[in-house]
């Protein structure tokens, strides 16, 4: 019988191998100019904070019934796409900041903290593709009746649901942009009568 600790160790081993592979590929480009090399290093500096890898880790924990631990997942900073680039630029021109928060042992949230040039549709498509979540498992999509400026899409991933919520917000200075919440909710198993 495979234990939860063995599965967790296997997942951590896989994550370590992925990180080493990314680091190795960053070191093999020895024929680039110095400026290209510095830019590549800046990109790879945040490659371990790829949003898809982060969400995949939470989904995997839910799939093996591992309670989510805030000490392991809580984070505030830059999240990146598959090429190591920040997901958006804020209105000051800095890489956009995100927060990952474990709300309970069965629920986590990923959200952007500031307004900027984030394109929620592109991010959602990147995540669905990276996480291999097909459109056929969409449960619901649309705007809640009491929130006409919000868009919600809910997908089933087996052990739980992933919810994409997007709200258009406005700063006091008049800048508008999307605030995005990505919620991961583990399904509760029905008790089997004895």
């Amino acid at each position: 019988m495979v234990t939860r600790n063995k599965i967790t160790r296997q997942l951590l081993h896989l994550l370590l191998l992925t990180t080493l592979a990314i680091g190795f590929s960053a070191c093999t480009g020895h024929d680039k100019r110095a400026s290209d090399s510095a830019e590549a290093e800046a990109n790879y500096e945040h490659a371990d904070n790829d949003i898809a890898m982060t969400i995949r880790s939470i989904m995997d924990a839910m799939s093996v019934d591992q309670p989510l631990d805030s000490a392991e997942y809580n984070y505030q900073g830059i999240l990146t796409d598959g090429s190591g680039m920040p997901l958006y630029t804020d209105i000051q021109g800095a890489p956009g900041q995100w927060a990952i928060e474990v709300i309970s042992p069965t629920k986590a949230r990923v959200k952007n903290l500031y307004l900027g040039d984030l394109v929620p549709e592109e991010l959602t498509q990147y995540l669905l593709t990276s996480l291999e979540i097909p459109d056929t498992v969409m449960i619901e999509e649309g705007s809640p009746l009491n929130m006409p400026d919000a868009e919600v899409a809910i997908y089933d991933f087996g052990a739980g649901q992933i919810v994409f919520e997007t709200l258009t917000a406005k700063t006091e200075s008049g800048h508008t942009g999307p605030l995005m919440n990505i919620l991961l909710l583990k399904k509760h198993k029905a008790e089997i009568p004895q």
Side-chain angles (χ1 to χ4, degrees):
M1 179 179 214
V2 179
T3 65
R4 186 181 307 168
N5 287 340
K6 186 172 181 180
I7 292 171
T8 302
R9 275 188 261 120
Q10 289 172 341
L11 290 172
L12 289 173
H13 182 70
L14 181 61
L15 181 60
L16 176 63
L17 289 175
T18 303
T19 304
L20 288 173
I22 291 170
F24 178 76
S25 65
C27 295
T28 59
H30 45 64
D31 60 338
K32 297 186 182 244
R33 295 189 326 236
S35 63
D36 290 344
S37 172
E39 184 179 322
E41 285 178 12
N43 291 343
Y44 280 107
E45 179 181 349
H46 300 293
D48 58 337
N49 293 329
D50 174 65
I51 191 169
M53 287 176 61
T54 301
I55 290 176
R56 168 63 72 196
S57 177
I58 294 170
M59 289 168 59
D60 288 346
M62 290 178 171
S63 295
V64 295
D65 293 326
Q66 179 181 345
L68 300 178
D69 181 357
S70 60
E72 185 175 351
Y73 291 106
N74 281 14
Y75 169 79
Q76 184 171 324
I78 299 167
L79 291 177
T80 61
D81 63 14
S83 65
M85 295 297 293
L87 296 172
Y88 74 102
T89 303
D90 67 23
I91 56 178
Q92 264 76 45
Q97 299 282 312
W98 291 80
I100 302 169
E101 176 187 13
V102 171
I103 299 168
S104 76
T106 60
K107 184 176 181 181
R109 173 175 47 217
V110 180
K111 64 180 182 177
N112 63 311
L113 298 178
Y114 306 108
L115 299 185
D117 60 2
L118 178 67
V119 182
E121 297 81 11
E122 289 180 8
L123 177 56
T124 300
Q125 193 55 52
Y126 166 67
L127 289 172
L128 293 175
T129 302
S130 299
L131 300 171
E132 299 175 347
I133 298 174
D135 286 336
T136 56
V137 298
M138 180 189 288
I139 298 169
E140 189 177 331
E141 181 180 39
S143 295
L145 292 176
N146 59 341
M147 296 178 70
D149 289 335
E151 289 290 327
V152 176
I154 304 171
Y155 294 83
D156 186 299
F157 64 85
Q161 295 179 346
I162 184 167
V163 181
F164 298 95
E165 298 177 340
T166 305
L167 176 67
T168 302
K170 190 174 191 177
T171 65
E172 291 178 5
S173 60
H175 290 94
T176 60
L179 291 175
M180 192 168 184
N181 277 315
I182 304 166
L183 297 168
L184 293 125
L185 313 166
K186 180 170 173 45
K187 291 178 187 172
H188 295 290
K189 289 185 176 177
E191 293 295 322
I192 300 171
Q194 297 283 340

